[in-house]
Amino acid sequence: MPETTPGLSAFFEAWDLFREPALAGAVAGALLGMLGIYVVLRRMVFLSAALSQSASLGVSLAWFAQVRWSVPAWIASPTTGGTAASLLAAGAMLAGRSSLSTRRDGVLGWVYLLGAAGTLAVGTRIVQEVQDIETLLFGSGVAVRPEDFTLLVQVSVVIGLLHLWLHRGFIQVATDQDGARVRGLPTRLVDALLIVSLAVAVSVGTRILGALPVFAFTVLPAMAALGLAVNVPQALPIAALVGGACGFGGYLVAYRYRLPVGASQTLVAALAVAAVHLLQRALAAIVALRNRQRHDHNHEHGPDCGHPAVPHGDHVDYLVGGHLHHPDAEECHDHGPLAGP
Amino acid sequence: MSEELLTIKDLLVGHAGRPILPPVTLTVCAGEAWAIVGPNGAGKSTLLRTLLGLQPGIAGTMRRAPCTIGYVPQRHDLDPTVPGRVIDLVRTGAEQRWSFISPLFPFQARARVERAMRDTRVLELAREDWRHLSEGQKQRVLMAQALAGEPRLLVLDEPTSAMDMAAEGVLFALLDELRLQRGLGVLVISHHLALLGKHATHLLFLDKDEGVVRAGPLAEVAQDPAFVQRYGLLMHQPAGGHHA
């Protein structure tokens, strides 16, 4: 008998069951998507991968401590373990910060590999938790405990407000560190705040969703948003929206097609980036077509082309149909309508 | 006497505690335009980064007047993947020290941002994506960004690289105008000796290979045997009318 896939109406009929995990994907996607703008702008994509693997190791060690050493769960809770490990990793990265990008990349690689290999190694010592280890690495937010969801919302509100307040400082440090230092901004403090807030968000997200979707949410929504926004402040809420939509939409897709949740959320985010890229290409093609139509002349502009030459800033344009045309080696650009007196 | 904006005495610059140049001594006053010249790899950028506080000096003293410094980096230092309009880029230059913690600061700094854009003639480009501008326009936007902080000392790192000669001339003329209007001290790295001959008032000549550092008024350094040996008598148009 062929297997039937559940409809989305069944999903919303059982909303009480799915509310926490579906909303956890949306909240974590929004928070990590917003923070991911800084990760992508600073070309430190590997940072979030390293932090999420460190958080995985911390969670595994917490389980190990509970199973092997009978440490009470309220002391060695997975959330505490994940947060402590990712903060330690953030500290190592801040301490290993160097003007040499090779050194910085090396530290990131070291943290990532220690986290990934450590998680797998610890997993072999806590056989009864192996399923949880796999969930941790690849993500499967099928069920989220209410207290974990509450913690995620609290962390998201605090970090979101902090970033709303200080976003101009974070943007300066992420896009123009030298300029910010010359202007006297406290770049080290801002940098530390950024990495610590990222470490906390990643550790809580990893505990609930797993390392794979957390890594995806800190990279892919930001890529999509930076392709859509006109500036970085605008990219921040767009990335949060895209991340939230991918977290929730990924959960729906996983339910509908019986896929692992983490993989589904990651795929949805990757497809969002591809869709934005295609949209950009299409828009660029339309603009180029309109440009060609506006520039429908079978000659190259020059002193003798017949079009009036108009000085424009530090160069000369040619007036065609009320628009300033500026030729360069490859094509003719429309520099807009001629401004009035 | 003009206000002293930057005074360095026997400053040694280099990497990992190893100096790459002989000690440098100079004083930049308001209204002066200092050109830093020298062959590629002469230590110009290392000196500039040290003067800006981006890397520590090895020895010597450096005293800066309690004023803002405007820094115009090389254009290729800007990441072309970062979206932004001209107004966004210039606004970042207005942020100083802890101003970013005040939500009201963008409104308070509006007049400074507008003045900087007007003085550099980029006001009409405010809503344009800076990545689509010509090289000359980009450079003027970077100057507006530096001026938005109302600096007394303006430091520029090769502002005319990858520009044609006409655009270079326009930019140096604008720099002169800003210096005189605002009483700025200017420090600029450039390879364009003919233009520097017209627009600089002082020269700092560096040559790491020969271990040479010469600093002083343009006419004096341009006739120094070490300078003449490297560049010949290229700079035959000392800046008469451009002094503040």
Side-chain angles (χ1 to χ4, degrees), chain A residues 42 168-177 180 185-187 190-191:
Chain A
R42 295 187 61 179
R168 299 203 316 273
F170 287 127
I171 290 172
Q172 295 244 352
V173 172
T175 57
D176 180 16
Q177 196 145 54
L185 271 74
T187 52
V190 174
D191 217 19

Side-chain angles (χ1 to χ4, degrees), chain B residues 164-180:
Chain B
D164 60 42
M165 279 188 67
E168 280 183 312
V170 169
L171 194 91
F172 269 99
L174 175 64
L175 198 53
D176 261 357
E177 195 182 309
L178 293 169
R179 175 170 62 88
L180 298 174

Side-chain angles (χ1 to χ4, degrees), chain A residues 121-177:
Chain A
V122 172
T124 62
R125 294 291 181 270
I126 43 175
V127 178
Q128 59 270 51
E129 308 287 349
V130 162
Q131 183 65 36
D132 287 328
I133 295 291
E134 290 203 351
T135 298
L136 196 59
L137 287 174
F138 302 112
S140 181
V142 175
V144 173
R145 296 183 307 165
E147 57 267 36
D148 284 343
F149 179 68
T150 304
L151 176 67
L152 174 65
V153 172
Q154 288 168 342
V155 165
S156 299
V157 168
V158 171
I159 293 178
L161 288 175
L162 180 76
H163 278 257
L164 184 66
W165 177 30
L166 301 178
H167 73 278
R168 299 203 316 273
F170 287 127
I171 290 172
Q172 295 244 352
V173 172
T175 57
D176 180 16
Q177 196 145 54

Side-chain angles (χ1 to χ4, degrees), chain A residues 18-95:
Chain A
F18 298 120
R19 183 177 53 226
E20 267 92 9
L23 290 180
V27 173
L31 176 66
L32 294 166
M34 180 195 73
L35 296 177
I37 290 289
Y38 304 115
V39 172
V40 172
L41 284 178
R42 295 187 61 179
R43 296 167 190 260
M44 290 178 77
V45 166
F46 215 37
L47 169 71
S48 53
L51 286 175
S52 57
Q53 290 298 341
S54 306
S56 301
L57 177 59
V59 174
S60 310
L61 286 172
W63 276 327
F64 182 83
Q66 285 181 33
V67 171
R68 287 303 184 94
W69 299 328
S70 303
V71 177
W74 63 271
I75 295 177
S77 77
T79 304
T80 311
T83 306
S86 57
L87 285 174
L88 267 176
M93 283 181 259
L94 282 169

